[in-house]
PDB file of all heavy atoms in Angstrom:
ATOM      1  N   ILE A  28      61.634 -32.237 -49.670  1.00  0.00           N
ATOM      2  CA  ILE A  28      62.927 -32.147 -49.099  1.00  0.00           C
ATOM      3  C   ILE A  28      63.791 -33.356 -49.515  1.00  0.00           C
ATOM      4  O   ILE A  28      64.987 -33.423 -49.182  1.00  0.00           O
ATOM      5  CB  ILE A  28      62.967 -32.093 -47.632  1.00  0.00           C
ATOM      6  CG1 ILE A  28      62.287 -33.285 -47.010  1.00  0.00           C
ATOM      7  CG2 ILE A  28      62.244 -30.878 -47.183  1.00  0.00           C
ATOM      8  CD1 ILE A  28      62.542 -33.382 -45.452  1.00  0.00           C
ATOM      9  N   GLY A  33      63.712 -33.164 -54.121  1.00  0.00           N
ATOM     10  CA  GLY A  33      63.503 -32.053 -53.169  1.00  0.00           C
ATOM     11  C   GLY A  33      64.755 -31.285 -52.967  1.00  0.00           C
ATOM     12  O   GLY A  33      65.696 -31.293 -53.522  1.00  0.00           O
ATOM     13  N   ILE A  37      69.121 -30.512 -54.037  1.00  0.00           N
ATOM     14  CA  ILE A  37      69.679 -29.248 -54.554  1.00  0.00           C
ATOM     15  C   ILE A  37      70.898 -28.832 -53.766  1.00  0.00           C
ATOM     16  O   ILE A  37      71.878 -28.309 -54.309  1.00  0.00           O
ATOM     17  CB  ILE A  37      68.545 -28.192 -54.558  1.00  0.00           C
ATOM     18  CG1 ILE A  37      67.547 -28.529 -55.566  1.00  0.00           C
ATOM     19  CG2 ILE A  37      69.243 -26.799 -54.752  1.00  0.00           C
ATOM     20  CD1 ILE A  37      66.244 -27.515 -55.490  1.00  0.00           C
ATOM     21  N   ALA A  84      66.310 -36.983 -47.412  1.00  0.00           N
ATOM     22  CA  ALA A  84      67.038 -35.866 -46.757  1.00  0.00           C
ATOM     23  C   ALA A  84      68.046 -36.365 -45.699  1.00  0.00           C
ATOM     24  O   ALA A  84      69.111 -35.793 -45.522  1.00  0.00           O
ATOM     25  CB  ALA A  84      65.951 -34.842 -46.159  1.00  0.00           C
ATOM     26  N   LEU A  90      75.659 -38.274 -46.186  1.00  0.00           N
ATOM     27  CA  LEU A  90      76.657 -38.151 -47.312  1.00  0.00           C
ATOM     28  C   LEU A  90      77.464 -36.778 -47.037  1.00  0.00           C
ATOM     29  O   LEU A  90      78.676 -36.807 -47.259  1.00  0.00           O
ATOM     30  CB  LEU A  90      76.096 -38.130 -48.572  1.00  0.00           C
ATOM     31  CG  LEU A  90      77.024 -38.052 -49.841  1.00  0.00           C
ATOM     32  CD1 LEU A  90      77.834 -39.362 -49.856  1.00  0.00           C
ATOM     33  CD2 LEU A  90      76.349 -37.715 -51.147  1.00  0.00           C
ATOM     34  N   GLY A 175      65.194 -68.307 -61.520  1.00  0.00           N
ATOM     35  CA  GLY A 175      65.735 -67.647 -60.343  1.00  0.00           C
ATOM     36  C   GLY A 175      64.791 -67.022 -59.426  1.00  0.00           C
ATOM     37  O   GLY A 175      63.499 -67.366 -59.507  1.00  0.00           O
ATOM     38  N   TRP A 362      60.696 -32.735 -69.920  1.00  0.00           N
ATOM     39  CA  TRP A 362      59.537 -33.128 -70.676  1.00  0.00           C
ATOM     40  C   TRP A 362      58.547 -33.983 -69.832  1.00  0.00           C
ATOM     41  O   TRP A 362      58.975 -35.084 -69.368  1.00  0.00           O
ATOM     42  CB  TRP A 362      59.883 -33.949 -71.810  1.00  0.00           C
ATOM     43  CG  TRP A 362      58.720 -34.431 -72.651  1.00  0.00           C
ATOM     44  CD1 TRP A 362      58.371 -35.787 -72.839  1.00  0.00           C
ATOM     45  CD2 TRP A 362      57.734 -33.785 -73.452  1.00  0.00           C
ATOM     46  NE1 TRP A 362      57.240 -35.901 -73.585  1.00  0.00           N
ATOM     47  CE2 TRP A 362      56.726 -34.683 -74.011  1.00  0.00           C
ATOM     48  CE3 TRP A 362      57.491 -32.355 -73.728  1.00  0.00           C
ATOM     49  CZ2 TRP A 362      55.740 -34.200 -74.701  1.00  0.00           C
ATOM     50  CZ3 TRP A 362      56.499 -32.010 -74.430  1.00  0.00           C
ATOM     51  CH2 TRP A 362      55.557 -32.990 -74.920  1.00  0.00           C
ATOM     52  N   SER A 385      76.115 -33.902 -62.721  1.00  0.00           N
ATOM     53  CA  SER A 385      76.682 -34.672 -63.885  1.00  0.00           C
ATOM     54  C   SER A 385      77.804 -34.028 -64.554  1.00  0.00           C
ATOM     55  O   SER A 385      78.884 -34.579 -64.826  1.00  0.00           O
ATOM     56  CB  SER A 385      75.578 -34.948 -64.846  1.00  0.00           C
ATOM     57  OG  SER A 385      76.061 -35.753 -65.886  1.00  0.00           O
TER      58      SER A 385
END
Side-chain angles (χ1 to χ4, degrees):
I28 65 171
I37 291 173
L90 184 70
W362 172 248
S385 179

